[in-house]
Amino acid sequence: MNVLVVGAGAMGRWFGKSLDCDLAFTDADPAVAERAAEQVGGKAVELDTSETFEAVCLTVPLPAVDDAIEDHAEKAETALLDLTGVMAEPISSMAKHAPDKERVSLHPLFGPENAPGNVAVVAAEPGPVTDEILSALKSRGNTLVETTPEEHDEAMTTVQAGAHTAVLAFALSANSVPEGLRTPVYDSLADLTEQVTSGDSRVYADIQAAFDGAEDVAIAAHDLADADPTEFERLYRTAKMKTNRAEDESEDEL
């Protein structure tokens, strides 16, 4: 099998490393594609190459996914995949531009440095080629989580947009604290802050633009800041109840 990876950044390289096949990389920056080919193996091709491949996987920034699918769908002989982090839009776009192809949307729920992990999967039109790719990801220790575009994108409002907003808001509002005066809760938040801020700011900005969730966090923070002790206790109990409910649902799924 030969596969073209469109977008040769960190996730594109992770995807390429996960496969045992003939790889080609392309990118808006040819030098990035060249480096990916050197690091992962395979070759670099021009963005407008006329060459075709059994499978094409789009690992481009969120705002570019629709245009990328339109531009590169014809290069896919059998299968078209995306690995962008949003699912409703690419699933719809792939159906429009590659109706006769195998079509799968993937979202690794981790950064490449934290692999392996859970990979969300919407297999809109699976087949032998995409099955082989999914099998390769699973053999690398990843857990494939089947979902729907709607369920995935709704979850990302909390899992990504809301969580990132909460962590970055803490980072922006926190004062410097002497080592001996820190608490376990503070240290946990500080660790999360370091993890989030070690990434690519553009990626986080794209996530905020793609998913709602930030406003709900801002409203909750405002409510807590304005609450008198009685109201604060009520909000605390509500938070505890929601946390316990989420834990119970997770146990039920197991």
Side-chain angles (χ1 to χ4, degrees):
M1 178 171 62
N2 61 346
V3 176
L4 172 65
V5 180
V6 180
M11 290 311 301
R13 293 193 298 273
W14 169 82
F15 181 76
K17 288 178 183 177
S18 301
L19 307 181
D20 183 14
C21 66
D22 293 329
L23 282 171
F25 290 93
T26 191
D27 195 277
D29 183 345
V32 172
E34 291 283 357
R35 285 196 297 271
E38 291 173 3
Q39 294 172 7
V40 179
K43 64 182 181 180
V45 298
E46 297 292 333
L47 200 60
D48 60 354
T49 181
S50 59
E51 189 175 353
T52 61
F53 304 82
E54 286 183 76
V56 173
C57 183
L58 292 307
T59 62
V60 299
L62 284 170
V65 63
D66 190 49
D67 288 342
I69 289 171
E70 182 177 3
D71 291 342
H72 300 284
E74 63 183 14
K75 296 169 187 163
E77 298 168 0
T78 306
L80 186 62
L81 305 93
D82 90 282
L83 197 150
T84 56
V86 66
M87 288 188 159
E89 182 180 356
I91 285 292
S92 175
S93 185
M94 286 190 285
K96 177 181 177 181
H97 296 292
D100 58 340
K101 304 291 194 302
E102 297 176 27
R103 304 185 302 277
V104 171
S105 184
L106 303 170
H107 183 195
L109 300 171
F110 51 84
E113 68 279 2
N114 296 317
N118 287 355
V119 180
V121 179
V122 172
E125 194 64 44
V129 172
T130 53
D131 286 350
E132 183 177 344
I133 290 171
L134 293 177
S135 179
L137 295 177
K138 191 173 182 178
S139 71
R140 292 287 184 142
N142 298 291
T143 300
L144 306 184
V145 182
E146 294 185 8
T147 185
T148 66
E150 296 76 18
E151 181 182 54
H152 170 272
D153 289 359
E154 174 63 26
M156 291 308 107
T157 65
T158 294
V159 171
Q160 289 195 314
H164 299 165
T165 297
V167 172
L168 291 171
F170 169 76
L172 290 168
S173 62
N175 296 318
S176 178
V177 177
E179 184 70 32
L181 299 180
R182 298 180 179 182
T183 66
V185 171
Y186 173 90
D187 282 339
S188 294
L189 282 169
D191 288 343
L192 288 172
T193 297
E194 183 177 356
Q195 179 179 342
V196 171
T197 56
S198 66
D200 185 335
S201 60
R202 186 215 67 206
V203 171
Y204 284 91
D206 288 346
I207 289 170
Q208 291 298 325
F211 301 111
D212 296 328
E215 185 175 343
D216 290 342
V217 174
I219 291 171
H222 184 272
D223 289 345
L224 287 167
D226 283 354
D228 61 24
T230 300
E231 175 63 8
F232 189 95
E233 287 190 57
R234 187 192 69 79
L235 291 169
Y236 181 95
R237 290 192 298 270
T238 299
K240 183 175 182 179
M241 179 179 66
K242 291 183 70 174
T243 300
N244 291 340
R245 184 189 306 143
E247 291 177 352
D248 291 342
E249 290 173 353
S250 296
E251 291 177 359
D252 289 343
E253 291 174 0
L254 297 174

